[in-house]
Amino acid sequence: MSDIGTQETQKADLNWSELIFGYTKTDCNIRYTYSNGHWDEGVLTKDETIPVHMAATCLHYGQECFEGLKAFETKGGDVVVFRVEENAKRMDFTGRKILMQPPSIEMFVEAVDRVVQANRRFVPPYGTGASLYIRPLLIGMGPRVGVKPADDYMFMVFVTPVGPYFKNGFKPVKMIVEEKVDRAAPLGVGDVKVGGNYAASLRAGASAREKGYADAVYLDAKEHKYIDESGPANFFAITKDGQYITPKSDSILPSITNKSLITLAGELGMRPERRPIAIEEIFDFAEAGCCGTAAVITPIGSIRHGDREAVYSHDGEPGPLTTQLYNKLRAIQLSEVPDAHGWLRTIKG
Ligand code: PLP
Ligand code: COI
């Protein structure tokens, strides 16, 4: 039983099928405080604001990281979260990399359980295409003026019901290769989910959208020769002989969706491979896409690179193998097929 949040079983009054990827207020969020060397028990609160010391390390020195995962209502009416332990492990890795105190795996999972349970009426109904986006956040709270890690941290999780990240959902989008901006350095923090990586991508993302593209594709920062990823998602391609390939790089976020697709692509006979993907190869692929929690699988219809364009969709529809992967992933997330890999965690009612 939650200490706050609604016990109402009635779904919230929202136009579920029209939701965009944006913030909708829910009943509560959960917060845990780390001080004097230990985490407290966590508390659910209705407060949407956070009191932060003006000298906190999250404001000055980028001691901030986050996660993103989703809850779904299944065909059978359960509420499930997808691969939550993987997100917990990634926050542990991220936190340690920038000298923050991460929550334990158990605490992360418990926080997600509690906040989803307390906001159950915001989990979009099965069949609407929408989902409950879960955003865990870890920030350095202690005041520092010298560049040093904080002693105190806050871990919080909020949830918000969302529709597709790219506005048309499972429809091909146009992307453009960004050559003037590097997202992340090879020995930097591109492989962890810190806010600074997103700050670095804002300018290129805005410029891509101004030119009529959905987002930018980044190249590796060292040689500008290989594909890294896009602002909010990993990149994959399907070769003309039906192989699933995805970039191997030290400066991209290890996507949990991509890891799942690699498993599913193997099961579908697509011989998945992670390897450096030279940018010239885009002109040889049969299909391409980006993948992530928010993006799910977003098919790429074309990629502009300088004065050339690689086109994968001529009729505005996704390619056949991208469609197979999407259908298989969605069917697992919505429990339309058995959860053979144990990727779903049921939230107790
Ligand atoms: N790459 C970046 C930069 C992202 O922000 C995300 C989103 O989390 C991803 C890739 C996809 O990762 P995941 O599938 O774990 O959501
Ligand atoms: C996600 O897919 O969860 C992301 O974090 C991508 C983006 C919304 C930042």
Side-chain angles (χ1 to χ4, degrees):
M1 185 72 84
S2 32
D3 30 342
I4 202 174
T6 180
Q7 302 309 316
E8 274 181 53
T9 47
Q10 278 274 332
K11 287 279 181 198
D13 184 19
L14 293 171
N15 198 350
W16 304 104
S17 310
E18 300 299 316
L19 286 173
I20 57 160
F21 193 85
Y23 180 75
T24 301
K25 183 174 165 40
T26 59
D27 284 332
C28 57
N29 58 82
I30 192 161
R31 298 153 187 216
Y32 296 73
T33 299
Y34 182 88
S35 68
N36 298 320
H38 68 269
W39 287 106
D40 69 9
E41 297 295 303
V43 61
L44 286 161
T45 171
K46 287 182 182 299
D47 194 350
E48 291 171 275
T49 64
I50 306 173
V52 183
H53 192 286
M54 63 186 174
T57 59
C58 65
L59 298 178
H60 298 261
Y61 302 132
Q63 270 204 311
E64 179 276 347
C65 68
F66 67 100
E67 271 302 327
L69 66 155
K70 280 179 174 169
F72 304 92
E73 186 175 282
T74 67
K75 198 174 179 189
D78 287 334
V79 171
V80 295
V81 288
F82 185 70
R83 305 198 78 172
V84 55
E85 292 87 0
E86 293 293 322
N87 293 89
K89 286 189 228 159
R90 194 167 63 189
M91 180 168 268
D92 182 75
F93 179 65
T94 302
R96 289 175 195 281
K97 186 152 180 177
I98 57 166
L99 301 189
M100 300 176 76
Q101 175 64 47
S104 68
I105 307 301
E106 297 71 33
M107 187 177 133
F108 186 105
V109 173
E110 179 208 87
V112 170
D113 280 355
R114 285 171 71 184
V115 74
V116 174
Q117 192 178 40
N119 287 291
R120 213 179 167 86
R121 69 191 189 99
F122 290 94
V123 180
Y126 171 77
T128 55
S131 53
L132 187 75
Y133 186 66
I134 304 166
R135 176 53 70 85
L137 178 73
L138 177 66
I139 54 178
M141 296 293 275
R144 283 270 185 264
V145 180
V147 182
K148 294 214 181 78
D151 290 331
D152 300 343
Y153 293 89
M154 176 185 275
F155 169 61
M156 67 169 300
V157 187
F158 74 80
V159 296
T160 187
V162 295
Y165 187 80
F166 292 109
K167 68 174 184 296
N168 295 323
F170 190 61
K171 286 283 178 201
V173 296
K174 288 164 61 179
M175 304 289 267
I176 182 166
V177 176
E178 176 54 64
E179 289 178 285
K180 298 270 161 49
V181 177
D182 292 330
R183 179 188 163 274
L187 299 178
V189 288
D191 60 339
V192 292
K193 211 161 167 58
V194 298
N197 291 331
Y198 299 84
S201 75
L202 288 175
R203 201 157 44 104
S207 144
R209 283 187 290 278
E210 254 165 45
K211 288 183 257 179
Y213 298 91
D215 217 325
V217 170
Y218 296 90
L219 299 179
D220 77 282
K222 193 171 175 194
E223 296 183 84
H224 283 195
K225 211 168 143 186
Y226 300 98
I227 299 181
D228 254 2
E229 62 177 332
S230 75
N234 273 187
F235 175 86
F236 70 87
I238 309 287
T239 61
K240 288 198 173 121
D241 65 351
Q243 190 183 15
Y244 180 100
I245 56 169
T246 190
K248 185 174 166 60
S249 161
D250 291 337
S251 49
I252 64 178
L253 192 74
S255 155
I256 296 157
T257 313
N258 199 2
K259 187 172 171 183
S260 310
L261 291 180
I262 286 170
T263 302
L264 301 181
E267 292 171 4
L268 290 166
M270 297 182 199
R271 298 165 289 125
E273 189 184 2
R274 277 188 208 270
R275 63 164 173 81
I277 299 180
I279 185 62
E280 296 77 46
E281 290 188 63
I282 61 171
F283 300 102
D284 298 329
F285 299 143
E287 301 175 35
C290 46
C291 62
T293 298
V296 193
I297 292 181
T298 301
I300 298 179
S302 63
I303 305 177
R304 171 151 295 272
H305 177 38
D307 55 8
R308 295 179 72 197
E309 187 139 63
V311 180
Y312 309 112
S313 172
H314 294 278
D315 58 359
E317 293 304 322
L321 298 194
T322 304
T323 304
Q324 273 188 43
L325 286 167
Y326 178 82
N327 289 342
K328 190 155 181 170
L329 177 68
R330 294 290 289 168
I332 294 172
Q333 290 176 331
L334 300 174
S335 272
E336 293 167 350
V337 296
D339 176 22
H341 303 285
W343 287 345
L344 304 181
R345 177 180 175 86
T346 304
I347 304 293
K348 294 200 181 77

